[in-house]
Amino acid sequence: YPAPGDPALAAEIASLARSTHAGLDHEWGLDHGAWTVIRHMYPKANIPVLQLSIDYHQPGAFHYNLARELAALRRKGVLIIGSGNMVHNLRMVAFDKLDQPGFGYDWAVEMNEVFKSRITAGDHRALMDYTKLGPSAKLAVPTPDHYWPLLYILGLRKENEEAKFFNDHLVGGSLTMTSVRFG
């Protein structure tokens, strides 16, 4: 996906990130989590696209608070997308059931609903420390790299903004494509 970057915006992002060093890299390219989503929204690749790498060794509060530092970007009209999955366990995908719409393991269905209810209630603390939500949460999120983008979107949420869910589908038993939008 050959979208242009924006070095000036990248420098601004780096300056807003006060809690960590945000290095600038013009060679890395876009991860599949970015371009697979953006290419459907902007197929002509005619908008600048920047990607913030996720340090999955950091706790949830780190990601949430970093997003709060970046809130000025949203106020300026920068579209911010947190691309990932709330439920993302590739090791347990039922490949023989990929053609069964809505098939989900009990724990995947449960956690998709728990995550949505916590988002709707504005219970960001529980979502930052999702491992305390029980054994189903640990199955739903065996590694946090696909989950952390949600915390960026929650950290950018304005007070009293309603959560709008879309693409709320289970795939292969252990993945959800559930998306949430604010604003």
Side-chain angles (χ1 to χ4, degrees), residues 77-132:
V78 174
L79 173 64
I80 301 171
I81 298 172
S83 176
N85 295 92
M86 290 189 280
V87 176
H88 189 274
N89 189 329
L90 287 177
R91 291 180 213 124
M92 297 187 73
V93 170
F95 289 99
D96 61 328
K97 298 189 187 309
L98 286 174
D99 61 347
Q100 290 185 23
F103 170 73
Y105 296 117
D106 291 345
W107 54 264
V109 172
E110 172 193 348
M111 289 316 301
N112 194 55
E113 293 305 315
V114 166
F115 290 148
K116 289 188 316 185
S117 70
R118 299 294 174 118
I119 290 167
T120 301
D123 187 2
H124 299 175
R125 284 264 167 242
L127 294 164
M128 282 186 254
D129 200 4
Y130 71 91
T131 59
K132 292 184 178 176

Side-chain angles (χ1 to χ4, degrees), residues 18-125:
R18 293 186 182 95
S19 62
T20 189
H21 171 71
L24 302 176
D25 186 326
H26 302 282
E27 304 301 320
W28 188 262
L30 298 174
D31 180 79
H32 73 278
W35 67 262
T36 57
V37 173
I38 299 292
R39 73 183 176 108
H40 296 288
M41 298 170 68
Y42 301 96
K44 295 180 182 176
N46 57 354
I47 63 157
V49 177
L50 305 169
Q51 179 176 308
L52 181 66
S53 294
I54 301 285
D55 182 348
Y56 68 89
H57 294 2
Q58 294 290 344
F62 169 87
H63 299 286
Y64 183 87
N65 291 329
L66 179 55
R68 309 285 294 167
E69 293 174 10
L70 302 177
L73 298 169
R74 187 168 177 220
R75 289 190 295 273
K76 285 180 59 171
V78 174
L79 173 64
I80 301 171
I81 298 172
S83 176
N85 295 92
M86 290 189 280
V87 176
H88 189 274
N89 189 329
L90 287 177
R91 291 180 213 124
M92 297 187 73
V93 170
F95 289 99
D96 61 328
K97 298 189 187 309
L98 286 174
D99 61 347
Q100 290 185 23
F103 170 73
Y105 296 117
D106 291 345
W107 54 264
V109 172
E110 172 193 348
M111 289 316 301
N112 194 55
E113 293 305 315
V114 166
F115 290 148
K116 289 188 316 185
S117 70
R118 299 294 174 118
I119 290 167
T120 301
D123 187 2
H124 299 175
R125 284 264 167 242

Side-chain angles (χ1 to χ4, degrees), residues 121 156 183:
L156 292 164

Side-chain angles (χ1 to χ4, degrees), residues 9-20:
L9 181 58
E12 182 178 354
I13 292 168
S15 72
L16 289 171
R18 293 186 182 95
S19 62
T20 189

